[in-house]
Amino acid sequence: MKIRDIQTAVIEANYDWTIVKVVTDEGIVGYGECFFAPGLTRTIQELKHILIGQDGRDIDRICRLLREAGVTAGSGTGGIVFHAVAGIESALWDAYAKWLDVPLFRLFGGAFRKRIRIYADCHAGEGLSSLSSICTPRIPWWMSETGETVHFYEIHMRAHGGLSEEAKELPDPSAYAERAKQVKEMGYTALKFDVDIPNPYMRDEFNRCLDNREVDLIAGLVESVRNAVGNDVDIAIDCHWRFSSESAIRLAEAIAPYRLLWLEDPVPPDSIEALERVTDYSPVPIATGENHYTRQQFHDLIVRGGVHIVSPDFQKTGLLEGKRIADLAETFTVPIAPHNISSPIGTMASAHLCASIPNFLVLEHHGIDVPFWEELAIGWDGAIINNGYIELSDDKPGIGIELNEEIAYQYRRKDEPFFDRV
Ligand code: MG
């Protein structure tokens, strides 16, 4: 099964969903997805000449070669080359499993479970919001009045400085509660909200310190969500690395009565000591890992950082490294709750890996507000996510779906290649 071609397409959704298509000499095509990054498709094209002619079944060896090619570009331990390789790797696994005519989970040791529990990311309570490849807000071209993508860097920064109209208003706990109830009615048994939100109590954009009024505000939002869904739905909250360790500990103490599943990314990802201070004193389980890439980095998070739940993103780490990270965490009885912002392509690849992980807890779904998320998949009967679960089976080889390229083309990023279309 020799690799004949590597093609890419980018779908402009709530994020840039970057899809890799591997074409083989046996007519088998595999799809994979990368976590977004600026210049990502160019990076994949730069790697292409290493791939052409390789036996596409030698996946671990090929990925080692590709990552080593990124070492001198500063990408030896993470970043854009890892994102590129993760998408290529996932496409190779899909093609290889199709070649063997088995579902992907069979190649990672088989299934501990075929019903994969999914949690819904509810963002900060509002509907669809979209971020560019450098994480600034935008209106996708297919939603904007002009038919062009509209970017909002200035407004975004003001919001975090407490200066925008948005930041002058207090977030409404009843809106969070309403959103939580909707998601529960969709069948989800776990959900997550962002709590690092613009608010009138912010005193400084940069010092990471939470005012006591902000702590009370967040605790009020969490209380409202807990009261709305009861104790049979798990709740997580995300802080996006914004806080100091002492502010994170004060926040954790304030929300402890609401029995959260986890508090995510409280402190900057590059300070293992800050994480250690939080995990030492937090009465709420701490999850982190979406900005880490290798088993060595996760070893540090677990052993030195004392993290309670690891949350790698398999569209960054790659699937096989994701399995190794999960196995490492298992030796410390640390559960894994993978981060996922993908289209159905990345989500299905992640779901297959989760089937094969004993210490799997729950997989993220970040696309509940994207109107065409389900439409992007073909070859699946009904909705992929049903009542908060993805049900895998032995009937479908590879990741179990194909990309609907016509729908993908309707929502493509217009300044990017779309596979081999000219
Ligand atoms: Mg997060």
Side-chain angles (χ1 to χ4, degrees):
M1 197 186 78
K2 292 238 165 38
I3 299 171
R4 181 178 281 172
D5 198 10
I6 299 283
Q7 301 163 6
T8 61
V10 180
I11 302 162
E12 190 168 307
N14 52 347
Y15 300 96
D16 278 351
W17 292 336
T18 304
I19 310 295
V20 179
K21 183 172 167 182
V22 171
V23 181
T24 68
D25 66 346
E26 304 209 19
I28 292 171
V29 165
Y31 288 104
E33 183 166 353
C34 314
F35 194 97
F36 66 81
L40 184 56
T41 55
R42 178 61 197 265
T43 303
I44 293 167
Q45 287 308 310
E46 294 264 351
L47 296 169
K48 188 170 164 178
H49 71 277
I50 302 177
L51 288 154
I52 302 301
Q54 298 269 4
D55 186 331
R57 298 171 300 180
D58 294 330
I59 299 173
D60 201 12
R61 174 182 157 274
I62 290 171
C63 292
R64 176 75 76 96
L65 292 175
L66 296 177
R67 290 195 185 104
E68 284 179 357
V71 168
T72 50
S75 286
T77 54
I80 185 168
V81 173
F82 269 67
H83 297 203
V85 177
I88 295 165
E89 185 203 341
S90 194
L92 289 172
W93 281 117
D94 183 39
Y96 183 31
K98 285 172 179 164
W99 186 80
L100 292 168
D101 197 26
V102 295
L104 181 54
F105 64 78
R106 290 273 162 235
L107 303 190
F108 289 112
F112 283 90
R113 66 195 70 75
K114 292 182 188 168
R115 232 175 141 237
I116 309 304
R117 188 185 178 206
I118 308 294
Y119 77 88
D121 188 295
C122 304
H123 212 45
E126 75 273 27
L128 179 69
S129 61
S130 181
L131 295 174
S132 76
S133 63
I134 54 168
C135 253
T136 52
R138 70 178 173 195
I139 299 175
W141 65 267
W142 47 269
M143 276 177 74
S144 83
E145 284 175 12
T146 61
E148 297 300 324
T149 305
V150 182
H151 292 275
F152 288 100
Y153 177 67
E154 196 182 7
I155 292 170
H156 174 69
M157 291 307 288
R158 283 184 191 158
H160 286 280
L163 298 173
S164 73
E165 290 304 314
E166 185 190 0
K168 285 176 189 162
E169 287 182 21
L170 281 170
D172 178 7
S174 65
Y176 276 64
E178 201 46 49
R179 177 81 159 154
K181 270 192 219 163
Q182 284 169 6
V183 168
K184 183 181 179 182
E185 276 163 23
M186 291 164 77
Y188 288 96
T189 58
L191 51 86
K192 185 168 85 183
F193 281 95
D194 297 343
V195 296
D196 56 319
I197 39 177
N199 68 77
Y201 301 144
M202 290 174 78
R203 293 192 193 274
D204 189 287
E205 186 181 346
F206 298 106
N207 71 8
R208 305 189 179 282
C209 294
L210 280 169
D211 189 289
N212 277 334
R213 296 170 301 175
E214 290 183 274
V215 172
D216 292 344
L217 174 69
I218 296 169
L221 296 174
V222 174
E223 179 185 23
S224 178
V225 171
R226 174 55 80 208
N227 289 341
V229 299
N231 266 336
D232 52 343
V233 171
D234 284 322
I235 302 167
I237 61 168
D238 196 342
C239 306
H240 296 105
W241 319 276
R242 296 232 199 263
F243 304 138
S244 68
S245 46
E246 72 77 26
S247 283
I249 293 163
R250 269 192 295 125
L251 175 62
E253 286 169 346
I255 60 175
Y258 309 112
R259 300 167 69 192
L260 296 197
L261 189 59
W262 71 72
L263 189 159
E264 180 171 318
D265 296 335
V267 291
D270 52 355
S271 175
I272 203 83
E273 290 80 9
L275 176 65
E276 184 185 0
R277 289 157 79 105
V278 177
T279 56
D280 271 356
Y281 295 104
S282 170
V284 178
I286 301 297
T288 199
E290 70 184 68
N291 274 344
H292 293 79
Y293 292 83
T294 63
R295 73 203 95 141
Q296 294 88 342
Q297 293 164 12
F298 278 87
H299 186 269
D300 263 1
L301 289 181
I302 294 167
V303 174
R304 294 173 58 206
V307 69
H308 303 114
I309 297 166
V310 290
S311 52
D313 189 309
F314 298 148
Q315 283 69 48
K316 288 182 172 181
T317 65
L319 295 174
L320 192 51
E321 190 68 8
K323 179 74 166 86
R324 289 167 175 149
I325 290 163
D327 288 340
L328 168 74
E330 164 75 352
T331 64
F332 295 90
T333 69
V334 168
I336 181 167
H339 181 255
N340 171 45
I341 58 161
S342 305
S343 80
I345 296 297
T347 301
M348 286 302 293
S350 294
H352 276 264
L353 185 53
C354 292
S356 302
I357 292 174
N359 46 327
F360 165 69
L361 177 60
V362 65
L363 171 67
E364 180 167 10
H365 174 44
H366 213 301
I368 56 172
D369 294 312
V370 180
F372 53 88
W373 193 91
E374 289 279 353
E375 285 178 65
L376 281 169
I378 44 179
W380 193 265
D381 307 320
I384 291 173
I385 301 176
N386 237 322
N387 276 321
Y389 284 85
I390 296 176
E391 299 226 19
L392 304 177
S393 74
D394 271 291
D395 311 341
K396 296 176 191 299
I399 59 171
I401 58 166
E402 303 287 324
L403 180 70
N404 187 330
E405 293 195 9
E406 292 314 310
I407 298 291
Y409 187 78
Q410 284 178 36
Y411 299 99
R412 72 198 181 281
R413 195 170 136 168
K414 291 196 282 188
D415 57 353
E416 290 277 358
F418 190 88
F419 301 127
D420 59 350
R421 285 196 204 188
V422 283

